[in-house]
Amino acid sequence: MPPAVGEGSARSELRPRRGRCGHQVTRAVGPDVAAAAAARSPKRPARGSRRFEAAGRWALLALVTLLSFATRFHRLDEPPHICWDETHFGKMGSYYINRTFFFDVHPPLGKMLIGLAGYLSGYDGTFLFQKPGDKYEHHNYMGMRGFCAFLGSLLVPFAYLIVLELSKSLPAALLTAALLTFDTGCLTLSQYILLDPILMFFIMAAMLSMVKYNSCANRPFSAPWWFWLSLTGINLAGALGVKFVGLFIILQVGWNTISDLWHLLGDLSLSVVTVGKHLTARILCLIVLPLTLYTATYAVHFRVLNKSGPGDGFFSSAFQARLSGNNLHNASIPEHLAYGSVITVKNLRMAIGYLHSHRHLYPEGIGARQQQVTTYLHKDYNNLWIIKKHNTNADPLDPSFPVEFVRHGDIIRLEHKETSRNLHSHYHEAPLTRKHYQVTGYGINGTGDSNDFWRIEVVNRRFGNRIRVLRSRIRLIHLVTGCVLGSSGKVLPKWGWEQLEVTCTPYLKETLNSIWNVEDHINPKLPNISLDVLQPSFPEILLESHMVMIRGNNGLKPKDNEFTSKPWHWPINYQGLRFSGINDTDFRVYLLGNPVVWWLNLLSIALYLLLGSIIAVAVQRGARLPAEVEGLSQVLLQGGGQLLLGWMLHYFPFFLMGRILYFHHYFPAMLFSSMLTGILWDTLLRLCAWSLASSSLARGVYVVGLLSLLLGTAYSFYLFHPLAYGMVGPLAQDPRSPMAGLKWLESWDF
Amino acid sequence: MLGFLKRPVVVTADINLNVVALTAVGLLSRLWQLAYPRAVVFDEVYYGQYISFYMKRIFFLDGSGPPFGHMLLALGGYLGGFDGNFLWNRIGAEYSSNVPVWSLRLLPALTGALSVPMAYQILLELGFSHCAAMGAALLMLIENALITQSRLMLLESVLIFFNLLAVLSYLKFSNSQKQRPFSLSWWFWLMLTGVACSCAVGVKYVGVFTYLLVLAVASVHAWHLIGDRTLSHGGLARITQGQPLEVAYGSQVTLKNVFGKPVPCWLHSHQSTYPMIYENGRGSSHQQQVTCYPFKDVNNWWIVKDPGRHQLVVGSPPRPVRHGDVVQLVHGMTTRFLNTHDVAAPLSPHSQEVSCYVDYNISMPSQNLWRLDIVNRESDADVWKTILSEVRLVHVNTSVALKLSGAHLPDWGFRQLEVVGEKVSRGYHESMVWNVEEHRYGKSQEQKERELELHSPAQMDVSRNLSFMARFLELQWRMLTVKSDGSEHKYSSSPLDWVTLDTSIAYWLHPRTSAQIHLLGNVVIWASASLATVVYALLFLWYLLRRRRSIRDLPEDSWLRWVLAGALCAGGWAVNYLPFFMMEKTLFLYHYLPALTFQILLLPAVLQHISDHLCRSPPLRSLFSALVVAWYSCACHVFITLRPLTYGDKSLSPSELKALRWKDSWDILIRKY
């Protein structure tokens, strides 16, 4: 029996020990591992042919890359009109070129890169990207599509390299590359102006650099080690900067790092100081560096977008003052509130919006049937209110009256300008927050009752008793019930147009929800004064925009009766997405995975779980595996395990998400699943070959199995390629259609 | 066969008066004035409808939960003779005379009361002291929210009862796994675990979380069991079968020499002593002979004893013997200690004589401490295992190991084989290595009883089934169907409010006076329970990291106990709390009570741990105990202060009520006159 220590370290070693920085260390590894690694390559290379073999590897990589680029760039310009979400992301690219501020639920990096690609390729940002199907005509869209296709093409060589690094097996890598190259779904998704190819690029790049860095683990703090570690960090920042689902790859790298550190910590030959150094290096490269880069993308974002645009209302008054063209930019408005002023009132909590009312009543059974009062994020005439005295209805703007300023503690009425109803509250339950009271619009032409009276209070009373625009933080206290006007931040159902609930809360606790400021202010009797609004600091802007984005993401709830894609549909390729065209005369593109590839992936996951648990139980029972099987099972459990984790992390969280989901959300998970398939089948065939003792037969089984997988995939791509490259002519039901006989599932509509 | 004719039939009952007392006060606190208030209180209005349906045997479809809980409540109505005629339409409505309020509320109250002694039992089974266990039970006793919830016709206390029962019976099962797998009690507790889990799920769907937790812990245990090579290794398994695996202090063992040459034999001793003078003229100690005997014999039995304690029985829980521990070996039939000293062995004069010490009161002290050295250990914390462990017994004073020399003793030694003490420094040889072949946990303190025990054959069990996982295949995944209705109830709250007790529920208000029932927790307990969870998490992380660097702050068994307590109690809290963040249904404070129960169980465990392991000096320990007592009286004080709102039996003045409104968000109702 070998000494326990040696065996323990060999077994606990997580990473296969070869590759770029592992060369000289192979010798140091126990003979078992080396033998196993040698046994893995199909034939043992003679010394002289090593250079030849290296050249072969490079050639293979080049071939894979070339094929990937060829398939992705083939007919990239078709169709020459807006497809699906190009309408959003193309538009946002244009916003960057035009430097107008907008709001989107995703972080800015992806759209910035699209904008940059457009800018460099000579697109001038003048195309409106109004709706899918609009022709591009003379506008140059190829730069943006080409950029996305370029990143999309790189996914295949990345997957190839990852599998090669994890399994040390060229056939496994080749199989993975074939699966991805010949998948119509990945192909389609890479050909348009979308965030997905950019996101997937960063995810795969992060995975690749993580795997590479793992194989450098035996030479810590060397140059390649630092290089791959910081590259991992950079790619993580990229992934998170494109979409928040980049978080999943961060979790994966985080998990890998924690288990890595755990092993280092348990290695008693390393001093605590060395472990500390390892920890610091990882904090620097995997936390500090990505955060800095991520923040930097926002800095660029805010610097580039300096003109007022459609996204202003989502942000606080102070923020808007930064945007040229916004009415708060270099604002010049009356400073102190007076009776008769027309104002907009904005909630101080981020992403709540303006106090709003409209000509719709609360529905039957929800409090009193009076006009709704909500908060609304967009700028709108219905956000305007007039401040009036509680006891007179005379028009204070009558020039015969002197100007009377509103003061702290005054009792006022707020009249909704468009509908002439007063802000009102009473002892009825609020629609969602039942502990609070309902707030309504009440009265006719400004005449209501005593429930319309509010006491205005300034919270930060440093500037005397007057109420200042933008700066004064005010609370409105209902006179009769003693409650405070606030917004709960909850989204009203359909009857409330999905605006946010406004309530009157009987709990007088001071929270931002019940504090407001006056933003717009119109009063012809008062002189306009130029205001230098307190400029918010960068961290404040950053925080605010994240709050707004999270709120926006939560707001993307599926509407009633709308067909939504469910996560369980995805791996079985249940239903695709129409990118372009519906009728038989249209040029149709349909996002659907190559069913052969996808179903093979599904089968492989099941097989993997089966095989993996058999091996795990055998190892736990202490079975001694033959050297060959031992090596294969290491690859399967460790390399395959990482990929399985990746698949799970990129797939299962969607089951918990309340927001609206689409088929294309599955594609990052699909990449991991395909890599797992590559490793699994390679291992499985090798195991089959090993169990058939006779060597010629064994070789035959292996080669035939692998070739049939490769050719099968390629053939299925030949069958399904019109899905991606476009179909014209009758739909698939028609026997004359190019897709006739290929509609294997009723739910596919092409 | 007819053993009962020869010996009298004896019933020995161990009655733990603690449990009896706890049950009594538990019943008192939950059953006192149970029929008051005679009015519909809060959710009784909701469960009442279903009970009426059951009573009238009207079929109904209920999307809100499983039927078992409703059926249990209906059982109370059935026993109380309820005819189902009551209109459940309004909270606060007075019950008509045909409603047997007491028997309707009895079941929740009973389950609530029994949770108190169960908390005690769980802590004991987790391996904590009686003191900590009492603490847990007393905390359960004075937790206002638990009392309120169990005194009414509601289901939470029933759910909590089954949750605790599941955990308790799993612990009992897993503890008997170590001692006597496949015994009757092993099966009983295993079954009870399953029954309790299914009842919990049957009462409320959220019971599934505790079930999953128990399953997870069981899977981890089973995974270790799979890795446990003792089980089912062909011939070996047949011998280990039915014997306890881990040798503990108080274990009765036979020790077989691994080398087994010239013949396989067992360490043996008997009444005869070494002759005073050998034939060649050398002298001996004249103490009791220790030999190696090639036949099974009652004199082959030895008892493993902890030098620090007097007992010769296995404690509860058994304290396993680990590598490196110092033990004494007591010969079962003669109660003499295995001993060696600097006297030449009879046939191998270069080695030491091994004897069973007889105190002749001459200046030859006993030297009977042996250090256990498990040769084939995987880690330094390995437990001495039956059959599997190959051990050397190294004498502490002289560093010799117990060895079979292989020579046959002359007639005075009955031709048995010589056993000597050989210097460890002379190198390793299999003749120094022994293993435990037969093993049972000693039960009799009395020498006569023990002799009887030793004469009885070692435990052998019937054939065993190897499929550990088979029993888990009965798993039936039931999806939680959660109804989402976007609206909120007046007293609904969000999970974040629960930990800090930022919310309360007004259950009932007396129609005339301001007597009222509120669901309000004991703030001291809530705060300290959350604090204990945090402390546990931090300490756990700290120990974990240090263990990774091979710094063992805790002895192995306390570490395992600490981990298991955390897995079940902190884990129980987490699985019963965190999922609520995902749920979109209307949530109330009472949803937190199952989680709180687990947190309360963790609290005394953490306190005992701090006292045992972190308070190093005795004065510090007494100071800590004093603090704990002060803290507990504080909790009692809060309990008494909030008592009127818990039982609703006393009408308070508005100023008193205002004084009780410790948080703005507590909706205590104050009448305006």
Side-chain angles (χ1 to χ4, degrees):
Chain A
M1 201 180 213
V5 180
E7 187 177 74
S9 73
R11 192 169 286 172
S12 70
E13 179 58 66
L14 255 182
R15 299 159 287 276
R17 295 208 181 201
R18 263 172 51 179
R20 226 178 104 95
C21 9
H23 268 307
Q24 55 273 71
V25 205
T26 340
R27 256 171 281 128
V29 184
D32 277 6
V33 180
R40 291 197 49 75
S41 59
K43 27 181 178 176
R44 197 180 284 256
R47 247 169 218 290
S49 72
R50 186 160 285 174
R51 182 180 297 174
F52 180 70
E53 196 199 78
R57 279 168 183 256
W58 282 111
L60 207 53
L61 178 61
L63 178 75
V64 163
T65 316
L66 197 71
L67 198 60
S68 170
F69 271 83
T71 48
R72 267 63 179 166
F73 277 85
H74 177 63
R75 301 181 69 177
L76 184 63
D77 53 337
E78 286 194 24
H81 58 243
I82 302 178
C83 286
W84 196 53
D85 269 358
E86 282 189 336
T87 174
H88 296 305
F89 301 116
K91 194 193 292 167
M92 291 169 187
S94 311
Y95 282 139
Y96 280 102
I97 296 174
N98 299 325
R99 310 190 71 172
T100 35
F101 191 76
F102 67 97
F103 164 73
D104 183 39
V105 294
H106 301 300
L109 180 66
K111 291 155 296 187
M112 260 156 50
L113 290 176
I114 290 176
L116 182 69
Y119 180 73
L120 293 178
S121 63
Y123 165 63
D124 54 3
T126 49
F127 187 65
L128 290 178
F129 282 101
Q130 265 171 336
K131 61 177 193 300
D134 288 359
K135 292 264 182 293
Y136 282 115
E137 290 167 356
H138 65 278
H139 295 282
N140 186 353
Y141 61 99
M142 281 302 286
M144 291 186 277
R145 274 197 187 168
F147 171 72
C148 290
F150 175 77
L151 295 186
S153 311
L154 285 177
L155 295 180
V156 178
F158 282 3
Y160 174 89
L161 289 173
I162 292 171
V163 172
L164 191 62
E165 196 67 48
L166 286 177
S167 70
K168 304 289 169 224
S169 159
L170 275 176
L174 207 59
L175 181 58
T176 305
L179 290 175
L180 290 182
T181 314
F182 296 137
D183 178 48
T184 47
C186 280
L187 173 54
T188 313
L189 207 58
S190 303
Q191 283 197 315
Y192 300 94
I193 309 171
L194 299 174
L195 292 186
D196 302 81
I198 312 177
L199 173 72
M200 290 196 287
F201 166 81
F202 281 118
I203 288 177
M204 291 297 270
M207 186 72 193
L208 177 62
S209 23
M210 180 186 98
V211 167
K212 284 279 187 192
Y213 134 81
N214 275 346
S215 57
C216 294
N218 38 41
R219 273 175 56 203
F221 306 112
S222 62
W225 187 89
W226 278 113
F227 173 74
W228 289 116
L229 185 61
S230 40
L231 200 60
T232 311
I234 292 169
N235 285 315
L236 289 184
L240 189 66
V242 176
K243 273 192 179 188
F244 283 127
V245 287
L247 197 65
F248 303 146
I249 188 72
I250 294 186
L251 289 181
Q252 172 145 32
V253 172
W255 174 253
N256 178 68
T257 311
I258 287 173
S259 65
D260 196 19
L261 284 171
W262 186 245
H263 278 102
L264 292 172
L265 189 69
D267 185 352
L268 295 182
S269 64
L270 300 178
S271 69
V272 181
V273 179
T274 319
V275 176
K277 275 189 200 159
H278 275 282
L279 179 67
T280 321
R282 280 159 182 81
I283 289 176
L284 272 181
C285 293
L286 297 180
I287 296 178
V288 177
L289 179 67
L291 267 186
T292 317
L293 289 176
Y294 180 73
T295 323
T297 60
Y298 276 87
V300 175
H301 171 76
F302 291 125
R303 193 144 293 239
V304 170
L305 302 182
N306 58 5
K307 292 187 200 152
S308 172
D312 295 11
F314 288 86
F315 291 85
S316 67
S317 317
F319 183 92
Q320 295 175 31
R322 298 173 61 257
L323 302 170
S324 70
N326 188 292
N327 47 1
L328 293 176
H329 185 67
N330 297 331
S332 138
I333 45 178
E335 190 184 10
H336 295 288
L337 228 54
Y339 288 102
S341 292
V342 177
I343 56 173
T344 60
V345 184
K346 178 147 201 172
N347 196 286
L348 236 68
R349 200 173 132 203
M350 287 162 189
I352 296 279
Y354 302 97
L355 190 68
H356 178 97
S357 184
H358 40 230
R359 282 186 200 280
H360 297 277
L361 305 184
Y362 284 106
E364 198 93 41
I366 296 183
R369 218 169 134 65
Q370 296 170 5
Q371 186 168 304
Q372 297 172 15
V373 173
T374 62
T375 56
Y376 187 47
L377 276 168
H378 294 275
K379 297 205 166 186
D380 184 288
Y381 282 117
N382 275 325
N383 299 344
L384 294 177
W385 300 81
I386 309 171
I387 294 203
K388 295 203 167 166
K389 288 196 150 182
H390 71 283
N391 45 8
T392 68
N393 206 12
D395 183 9
L397 292 183
D398 192 327
S400 56
F401 290 106
V403 171
E404 191 176 345
F405 289 107
V406 183
R407 284 165 198 280
H408 168 75
D410 275 6
I411 296 181
I412 59 157
R413 236 165 2 103
L414 272 184
E415 187 182 314
H416 189 237
K417 185 158 182 279
E418 293 295 304
T419 60
S420 298
R421 303 218 192 260
N422 293 325
L423 189 71
H424 178 98
S425 181
H426 44 217
Y427 286 115
H428 283 273
E429 286 177 354
L432 300 180
T433 317
R434 296 275 171 92
K435 293 177 181 179
H436 299 181
Y437 302 132
Q438 188 192 24
V439 176
T440 64
Y442 180 75
I444 296 166
N445 289 331
T447 319
D449 62 11
S450 62
N451 272 333
D452 301 346
F453 300 159
W454 301 82
R455 190 170 67 244
I456 189 163
E457 284 185 357
V458 181
V459 180
N460 54 342
R461 214 139 35 81
R462 271 174 302 180
F463 314 107
N465 277 342
R466 287 189 190 174
I467 290 159
R468 310 222 310 182
V469 169
L470 292 169
R471 286 191 191 164
S472 289
R473 299 151 71 100
I474 57 176
R475 298 212 297 172
L476 289 168
I477 292 164
H478 192 241
L479 210 61
V480 175
T481 59
C483 59
V484 188
L485 185 77
S487 172
S488 65
K490 292 173 186 154
V491 182
L492 292 173
K494 216 170 186 176
W495 55 257
W497 311 98
E498 282 146 22
Q499 296 172 5
L500 305 184
E501 184 198 35
V502 168
T503 64
C504 194
T505 155
Y507 308 114
L508 301 181
K509 205 158 55 173
E510 211 170 272
T511 63
L512 281 183
N513 285 37
S514 55
I515 298 180
W516 307 78
N517 71 354
V518 175
E519 186 172 299
D520 293 302
H521 182 201
I522 306 158
N523 193 333
K525 285 162 83 176
L526 293 177
N528 284 353
I529 294 168
S530 174
L531 289 171
D532 52 333
V533 185
L534 282 171
Q535 287 271 343
S537 65
F538 180 69
E540 282 169 355
I541 302 176
L542 197 65
L543 184 68
E544 181 171 351
S545 52
H546 276 87
M547 296 296 295
V548 175
M549 278 190 286
I550 288 167
R551 199 161 280 276
N553 259 318
N554 289 339
L556 292 177
K557 287 271 160 64
K559 311 270 188 299
D560 295 343
N561 330 322
E562 190 183 28
F563 176 81
T564 52
S565 179
K566 301 273 187 314
W568 64 264
H569 292 166
W570 303 340
I572 55 179
N573 207 16
Y574 179 74
Q575 196 168 36
L577 263 176
R578 249 191 225 113
F579 263 40
S580 159
I582 301 172
N583 300 323
D584 46 0
T585 50
D586 294 336
F587 184 90
R588 300 190 307 277
V589 175
Y590 190 67
L591 175 74
L592 185 75
N594 180 342
V596 174
V597 173
W598 285 51
W599 293 342
L600 182 69
N601 282 346
L602 201 61
L603 174 72
S604 306
I605 289 172
L607 272 180
Y608 177 83
L609 290 178
L610 186 71
L611 199 60
S613 36
I614 290 174
I615 293 178
V617 169
V619 169
Q620 175 80 0
R621 280 302 293 171
R624 301 286 280 173
L625 303 173
E628 170 104 355
V629 180
E630 172 86 29
L632 287 174
S633 65
Q634 291 294 310
V635 168
L636 200 66
L637 286 186
Q638 286 159 13
Q642 281 193 351
L643 296 175
L644 185 73
L645 178 72
W647 176 73
M648 292 196 296
L649 278 176
H650 285 86
Y651 178 43
F652 289 129
F654 285 104
F655 283 95
L656 302 176
M657 284 189 197
R659 63 162 277 172
I660 189 162
L661 297 171
Y662 296 103
F663 177 53
H664 71 108
H665 288 148
Y666 183 66
F667 278 84
M670 185 267 171
L671 297 178
F672 284 94
S673 167
S674 303
M675 293 192 278
L676 185 63
T677 308
I679 288 196
L680 177 86
W681 284 96
D682 178 59
T683 314
L684 212 57
L685 287 172
R686 279 173 198 271
L687 277 176
C688 281
W690 172 80
S691 61
L692 300 169
S694 115
S695 70
S696 62
L697 184 60
R699 176 79 54 78
V701 165
Y702 182 74
V703 171
V704 168
L706 208 68
L707 274 182
S708 55
L709 281 174
L710 287 174
L711 293 178
T713 322
Y715 180 66
S716 65
F717 176 66
Y718 166 73
L719 288 179
F720 283 96
H721 77 271
L723 289 179
Y725 291 135
M727 315 162 267
V728 197
L731 299 176
Q733 294 91 330
D734 198 315
R736 288 165 301 148
S737 157
M739 301 305 290
L742 289 174
K743 195 172 169 178
W744 297 348
L745 286 185
E746 266 312 299
S747 48
W748 296 346
D749 31 39
F750 49 77
Chain B
M1 272 309 278
L2 298 172
F4 69 93
L5 291 179
K6 294 175 192 156
R7 267 179 270 135
V9 180
V10 179
V11 178
T12 329
D14 289 335
I15 298 180
N16 186 336
L17 285 181
N18 286 359
V19 175
V20 176
L22 285 174
T23 316
V25 285
L27 286 172
L28 183 71
S29 67
R30 267 69 175 175
L31 290 179
W32 186 71
Q33 284 200 1
L34 188 60
Y36 174 88
R38 237 195 118 71
V40 179
V41 178
F42 201 58
D43 271 358
E44 286 188 344
V45 71
Y46 164 79
Y47 293 117
Q49 293 168 22
Y50 299 129
I51 292 172
S52 284
F53 284 137
Y54 275 109
M55 293 294 102
K56 295 179 176 176
R57 318 194 72 167
I58 299 173
F59 179 77
F60 65 97
L61 204 65
D62 168 29
S64 67
F68 183 63
H70 301 156
M71 272 155 57
L72 282 179
L73 292 179
L75 179 70
Y78 176 75
L79 295 178
F82 182 39
D83 55 7
N85 287 323
F86 183 76
L87 192 60
W88 305 88
N89 59 353
R90 184 173 64 85
I91 294 175
E94 199 133 330
Y95 282 122
S96 51
S97 60
N98 64 330
V99 184
V101 183
W102 192 81
S103 55
L104 280 174
R105 288 181 184 158
L106 181 62
L107 185 88
L110 279 182
T111 51
L114 289 181
S115 304
V116 175
M118 266 201 319
Y120 173 84
Q121 292 282 350
I122 288 177
L123 267 263
L124 277 194
E125 290 297 324
L126 280 172
F128 288 91
S129 67
H130 284 271
C131 205
M134 278 304 274
L138 290 177
L139 287 174
M140 294 280 285
L141 183 70
I142 59 162
E143 170 47 55
N144 301 61
L146 290 180
I147 296 178
T148 311
Q149 199 70 14
S150 46
R151 284 172 46 80
L152 302 168
M153 194 177 73
L154 305 170
L155 284 180
E156 266 67 29
S157 67
V158 186
L159 172 68
I160 290 172
F161 172 80
F162 284 121
N163 279 348
L164 292 183
L165 185 62
V167 170
L168 176 62
S169 37
Y170 179 74
L171 284 172
K172 291 254 189 199
F173 154 75
S174 121
N175 286 342
S176 64
Q177 165 78 37
K178 283 175 210 144
Q179 298 162 28
R180 300 177 55 185
F182 301 99
S183 63
L184 202 62
S185 73
W186 185 91
W187 278 111
F188 172 74
W189 290 118
L190 181 60
M191 300 272 279
L192 194 59
T193 312
V195 170
C197 283
S198 56
C199 287
V201 180
V203 171
K204 286 208 155 197
Y205 281 132
V206 288
V208 87
F209 296 127
T210 311
Y211 177 34
L212 291 180
L213 176 77
V214 171
L215 263 190
V217 174
S219 319
V220 172
H221 283 167
W223 183 248
H224 286 306
L225 219 55
I226 290 177
D228 194 338
R229 317 268 159 83
T230 48
L231 301 176
S232 89
H233 259 239
L236 284 178
R238 229 166 293 134
I239 302 167
T240 337
Q241 262 179 32
Q243 303 192 138
L245 175 63
E246 297 180 345
V247 177
Y249 291 109
S251 280
Q252 301 173 350
V253 296
T254 60
L255 288 166
K256 186 181 184 182
N257 192 277
V258 170
F259 189 49
K261 284 176 188 147
V263 282
C265 60
W266 290 270
L267 189 70
H268 180 96
S269 180
H270 40 236
Q271 291 282 359
S272 317
T273 54
Y274 289 109
M276 194 89 79
I277 307 284
Y278 297 124
E279 284 152 17
N280 58 9
R282 281 195 291 119
S284 84
S285 65
H286 193 50
Q287 291 182 347
Q288 185 169 309
Q289 296 172 14
V290 171
T291 65
C292 199
Y293 185 53
F295 302 98
K296 294 232 169 183
D297 188 88
V298 70
N299 273 324
N300 296 351
W301 284 95
W302 298 83
I303 302 169
V304 182
K305 180 178 169 293
D306 181 352
R309 301 199 186 185
H310 283 295
Q311 295 101 311
L312 289 179
V313 292
V314 174
S316 169
R319 293 183 303 125
V321 184
R322 293 174 193 279
H323 171 75
D325 285 357
V326 172
V327 299
Q328 290 170 324
L329 284 180
V330 181
H331 187 240
M333 297 304 286
T334 60
T335 333
R336 295 208 160 112
F337 289 76
L338 186 72
N339 189 70
T340 184
H341 37 219
D342 193 13
V343 173
L347 304 179
S348 323
H350 296 294
S351 311
Q352 286 188 18
E353 176 193 282
V354 175
S355 67
C356 270
Y357 185 74
V358 184
D359 192 359
Y360 292 118
N361 213 356
I362 49 172
S363 58
M364 185 178 264
S366 66
Q367 301 181 23
N368 52 24
L369 298 180
W370 300 83
R371 174 169 292 112
L372 185 73
D373 175 22
I374 302 179
V375 180
N376 59 344
R377 64 184 181 272
E378 275 168 8
S379 78
D380 282 349
D382 253 17
V383 174
W384 189 4
K385 291 182 188 132
T386 313
I387 303 195
L388 288 189
S389 296
E390 301 185 342
V391 302
R392 287 195 302 180
L393 290 164
V394 181
H395 193 239
V396 172
N397 297 40
T398 56
S399 299
V400 296
L402 197 67
K403 180 187 167 176
L404 172 68
S405 76
H408 281 275
L409 294 171
D411 285 342
W412 55 258
F414 310 102
R415 299 267 160 206
Q416 295 174 5
L417 296 160
E418 184 199 35
V419 169
V420 300
E422 171 98 341
K423 282 287 178 202
V424 178
S425 50
R426 299 230 176 103
Y428 168 87
H429 190 264
E430 273 197 349
S431 61
M432 288 182 183
V433 181
W434 304 78
N435 69 0
V436 170
E437 188 168 291
E438 291 166 283
H439 175 208
R440 63 184 155 220
Y441 282 169
K443 291 198 197 71
S444 23
Q445 187 65 283
E446 215 37 52
Q447 174 62 19
K448 280 275 170 259
E449 283 176 36
R450 188 158 55 239
E451 283 175 19
L452 217 61
E453 202 179 347
L454 289 174
H455 276 290
S456 69
Q459 171 85 34
M460 291 289 177
D461 234 55
V462 281
S463 69
R464 49 185 293 168
N465 187 348
L466 267 178
S467 61
F468 308 103
M469 303 310 273
R471 63 176 178 263
F472 298 126
L473 290 180
E474 66 193 41
L475 214 170
Q476 288 181 24
W477 292 95
R478 263 171 135 170
M479 284 303 288
L480 283 169
T481 46
V482 180
K483 262 173 132 186
S484 73
D485 48 348
S487 68
E488 276 191 20
H489 187 276
K490 180 157 189 257
Y491 291 110
S492 64
S493 45
S494 80
L496 274 182
D497 300 333
W498 299 343
V499 183
T500 47
L501 197 58
D502 265 339
T503 169
S504 73
I505 306 177
Y507 268 13
W508 171 79
L509 176 67
H510 194 280
R512 288 170 302 280
T513 69
S514 66
Q516 51 188 300
I517 296 182
H518 261 272
L519 184 69
L520 259 185
N522 187 322
V523 274
V524 172
I525 296 182
W526 286 51
S528 32
S530 306
L531 186 69
T533 314
V534 174
V535 169
Y536 178 86
L538 292 178
L539 276 177
F540 175 77
L541 209 62
W542 169 250
Y543 291 141
L544 194 69
L545 290 178
R546 284 173 56 92
R547 279 176 65 83
R548 191 72 191 155
R549 296 299 293 177
S550 285
I551 305 167
R552 290 173 198 275
D553 304 279
L554 299 181
E556 192 64 20
D557 55 339
S558 357
W559 164 248
L560 290 177
R561 194 166 63 198
W562 180 241
V563 172
L564 185 64
L568 282 173
C569 300
W573 171 77
V575 298
N576 280 295
Y577 175 53
L578 300 180
F580 284 106
F581 284 96
M582 304 281 195
M583 290 189 195
E584 289 187 349
K585 65 173 190 173
T586 318
L587 297 174
F588 294 94
L589 178 62
Y590 58 70
H591 284 124
Y592 185 58
L593 295 181
L596 177 80
T597 316
F598 283 103
Q599 241 185 349
I600 290 179
L601 293 183
L602 185 65
L603 181 52
V606 170
L607 290 179
Q608 191 197 337
H609 178 86
I610 294 175
S611 155
D612 284 358
H613 296 283
L614 301 182
C615 299
R616 287 174 196 270
S617 65
L620 204 59
R621 204 164 291 176
S622 348
L623 178 69
F624 183 74
S625 310
L627 281 178
V628 170
V629 170
W631 160 80
Y632 185 75
S633 356
C634 213
C636 282
H637 176 72
V638 171
F639 164 69
I640 291 165
T641 319
L642 291 178
R643 207 196 64 94
L645 297 179
T646 305
Y647 288 86
D649 56 342
K650 196 171 144 204
S651 177
L652 296 177
S653 70
S655 62
E656 282 173 311
L657 286 173
K658 247 181 211 138
L660 280 183
R661 193 169 169 172
W662 295 337
K663 288 198 177 184
D664 279 346
S665 46
W666 289 4
D667 296 307
I668 292 178
L669 308 172
I670 300 172
R671 276 184 190 281
K672 289 175 185 161
Y673 290 100

